[in-house]
């Protein structure tokens, strides 16, 4: 019989690991708590606008991931953002910055297309709206339960891909009485994460600046990132602007529990000052997102994670890769999927 694997999380790492197993004799079931896929590489729509409110694009920083996106998967609707990324410091002065010539990819239909296309290449069963609450170690594998205590089934192996704090919580709820469980939980829980509040601001006019995005270079400004979704083909109708504004961590933590209207008013006012354009203080529609676990900012003991494979338990994600970037999560997912296939 084919081996069966439970993948917790349908983000970039979970999708890439599932894809890496598509030729192996492994039946894969993916459990995802949200209604969509691709995790923090997230897409929303409002009217005629499509926008990314988490990871903004996929960088060409990994040859294998570049080959995956530009050759192995369909390139229909693949968008290469041509405008550069500029930079600003604590003074708010924006000037030519960095990676102006790097590829910055997304899709006309949104960056979630990346995970969708990876899953479409497989026979995996993706179950959305299912929150895995507990694992139970059994003699020949793992049994999973959802947050209502319902049995999700028995699996020969499990792959956990949520952000490190959520993975540690899952281990803490698990029925697995082993020293390795306690050691893994403690190690994974120690990975620090950046907290980010994102505001989305729409305007019925086009902003005239020479850049796609501006990033705070010294991390000493309340705004960390401003991106223009209209620079992505198919995202925003002509003559309109849609800004994704990601606030820096101190501001995000200090304002995390503020009312959304207060948050958006403050974000819009600060954006207007940064871009020196009073019109930007009054967007005609807005959106927002709290990312408690936006990006990992620490290392994890890979030797300890490797020991978990002896218990048919695996981990993948940007926190495992040690780099809070989408391409890193994808590469780590591919490598983890291949390691699972080779361990059969």
């Amino acid at each position: 019989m084919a081996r069966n694997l439970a993948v917790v999380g349908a983000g970039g790492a979970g999708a890439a690991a599932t894809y890496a197993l598509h030729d192996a004799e492994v039946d894969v079931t993916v459990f995802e708590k949200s209604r969509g896929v691709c995790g923090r590489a997230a897409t929303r729509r409002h009217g005629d606008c499509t926008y990314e409110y988490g990871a903004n694009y996929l960088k060409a920083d990994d040859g294998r991931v570049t080959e995956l996106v530009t050759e192995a998967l369909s390139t229909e609707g693949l968008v290469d953002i041509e405008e550069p990324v500029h930079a600003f410091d604590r003074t708010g002065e924006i000037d030519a910055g960095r990676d102006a010539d790097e590829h910055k990819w997304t899709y006309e239909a949104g960056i979630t297309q990346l995970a969708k296309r990876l899953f479409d290449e497989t026979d995996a069963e993706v179950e959305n709206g299912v929150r895995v609450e507990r694992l139970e170690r059994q003699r020949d594998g793992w049994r999973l339960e959802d947050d209502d205590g319902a049995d999700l089934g028995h699996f020969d192996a499990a792959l956990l891909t949520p952000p490190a704090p959520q993975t540690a919580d899952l281990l803490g709820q698990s029925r697995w009485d082993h020293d390795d469980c306690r050691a893994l939980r403690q190690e994974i829980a120690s990975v620090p994460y950046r907290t980010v509040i994102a505001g989305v601001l729409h305007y019925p006019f086009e902003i005239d600046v020479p850049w796609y995005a501006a990033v705070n270079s010294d991390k000493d400004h309340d705004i960390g990132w401003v991106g223009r979704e209209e620079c992505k083909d198919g995202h925003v109708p002509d003559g309109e602007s849609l800004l994704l504004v990601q606030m820096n961590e101190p501001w995000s933590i200090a304002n995390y529990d503020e009312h959304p209207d207060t948050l958006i008013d403050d974000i819009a006012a600060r954006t207007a000052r940064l871009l020196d354009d009073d019109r930007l203080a009054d967007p005609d529609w807005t959106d927002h997102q709290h990312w408690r676990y936006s990006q990992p900012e620490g290392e994890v003991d890979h030797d300890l994670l490797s020991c978990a494979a002896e218990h048919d338990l695996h981990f993948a994600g940007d926190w495992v890769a040690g780099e809070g970037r989408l391409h890193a999560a994808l590469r780590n997912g591919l490598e983890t999927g291949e390691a699972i296939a080779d361990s059969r």
Side-chain angles (χ1 to χ4, degrees):
M1 294 178 61
R3 182 178 181 179
N4 61 352
L5 171 74
V7 177
V8 180
T18 303
Y19 173 83
L21 288 161
H22 73 281
D23 286 333
E25 293 182 359
V26 180
D27 292 332
V28 180
T29 302
V30 182
F31 298 102
E32 169 56 47
K33 66 180 182 180
S34 71
R35 293 177 296 176
V37 296
C38 220
R40 284 161 287 154
T43 303
R44 284 182 184 155
R45 292 173 180 79
H46 185 289
D48 294 332
C49 293
T50 298
Y51 54 97
E52 277 102 31
Y53 58 97
N56 293 195
Y57 53 81
L58 177 68
K59 292 175 67 174
D61 271 12
D62 186 289
R64 185 174 183 189
V65 174
T66 295
E67 181 180 357
L68 174 70
V69 172
T70 61
E71 298 181 28
L73 299 178
S74 169
T75 58
E76 182 179 0
L78 185 65
V79 173
D80 192 351
I81 306 166
E82 297 180 355
E83 291 82 356
V85 175
H86 284 191
F88 61 94
D89 60 16
R90 58 184 298 272
T91 68
E93 187 71 26
I94 300 176
D95 53 29
R98 62 185 197 183
D99 63 17
D101 297 321
E102 286 187 341
H103 289 289
K104 302 181 286 292
W105 286 302
T106 184
Y107 296 89
E108 290 183 5
I111 201 155
T112 53
Q113 283 290 308
L114 180 54
K116 291 177 180 178
R117 295 182 188 200
L118 288 169
F119 284 127
D120 284 347
E121 294 294 320
T122 77
D123 295 323
E125 181 178 356
V126 181
E127 298 191 12
N128 290 96
V130 178
R131 181 188 294 270
V132 176
E133 185 73 16
R134 182 175 294 105
L135 288 79
E136 180 180 353
R137 179 59 173 162
Q138 298 182 326
R139 183 179 60 83
D140 55 350
W142 296 90
R143 188 177 69 86
L144 275 61
E145 292 181 6
D146 69 10
D147 50 353
D148 291 325
D151 187 352
L152 298 174
H154 175 275
F155 299 88
D156 297 318
L159 168 61
L160 309 184
T161 71
Q166 294 171 331
T167 296
D169 288 345
L170 182 55
L171 288 175
Q173 294 294 324
S174 296
R175 300 187 183 98
W176 181 24
D177 186 17
H178 195 287
D179 289 344
D180 284 353
C181 179
R182 290 180 283 276
L184 284 164
R185 181 189 178 194
Q186 182 177 3
E187 174 65 21
I188 295 170
S190 70
V191 178
Y193 266 73
R194 183 187 309 172
T195 295
V196 169
I197 292 176
V200 178
L201 314 174
H202 179 269
Y203 305 94
F205 53 83
E206 191 167 355
I207 299 171
D208 185 17
V209 294
W211 41 263
Y212 151 61
V215 62
N216 179 216
S217 56
D218 58 9
K219 297 185 179 181
D220 200 21
H221 194 283
D222 285 338
I223 293 176
W225 169 275
V226 180
R228 300 169 56 222
E229 291 294 299
E230 62 267 26
C231 294
K232 302 172 181 177
D233 291 348
H235 278 223
V236 180
D238 291 343
E240 302 177 16
S241 290
L242 184 58
L243 300 183
L244 170 67
V245 184
Q246 294 177 333
M247 307 303 288
N248 76 6
E249 183 172 52
W251 189 96
S252 297
I253 292 174
N255 292 275
Y256 202 84
D257 295 322
E258 287 286 348
H259 189 279
D261 291 345
T262 302
L263 290 176
I264 287 297
D265 287 347
D266 196 356
I267 291 173
R270 292 174 186 275
T271 302
R273 289 197 294 272
L274 177 64
L275 273 62
D276 194 23
D277 189 338
D278 291 341
R279 300 174 301 166
L280 304 184
D282 187 27
D284 62 348
W285 63 261
T286 67
D287 194 3
H288 70 280
Q289 177 70 31
H290 289 52
W291 295 106
R292 186 174 296 279
Y293 306 124
S294 172
Q295 291 176 300
E297 296 191 314
E299 296 291 332
V300 68
D301 185 342
H302 287 87
D303 290 337
L304 182 58
L305 294 189
S306 297
C307 290
E310 299 174 5
H311 305 284
D312 300 306
L313 184 64
H314 308 271
F315 304 93
D318 53 2
W319 62 273
V320 181
E323 183 180 4
R325 294 290 184 269
L326 180 56
H327 67 266
L330 290 166
R331 178 61 180 254
N332 183 252
L334 292 172
E335 293 174 347
T336 303
E338 291 168 348
I340 292 171
D342 290 342
S343 69
R344 292 182 62 247

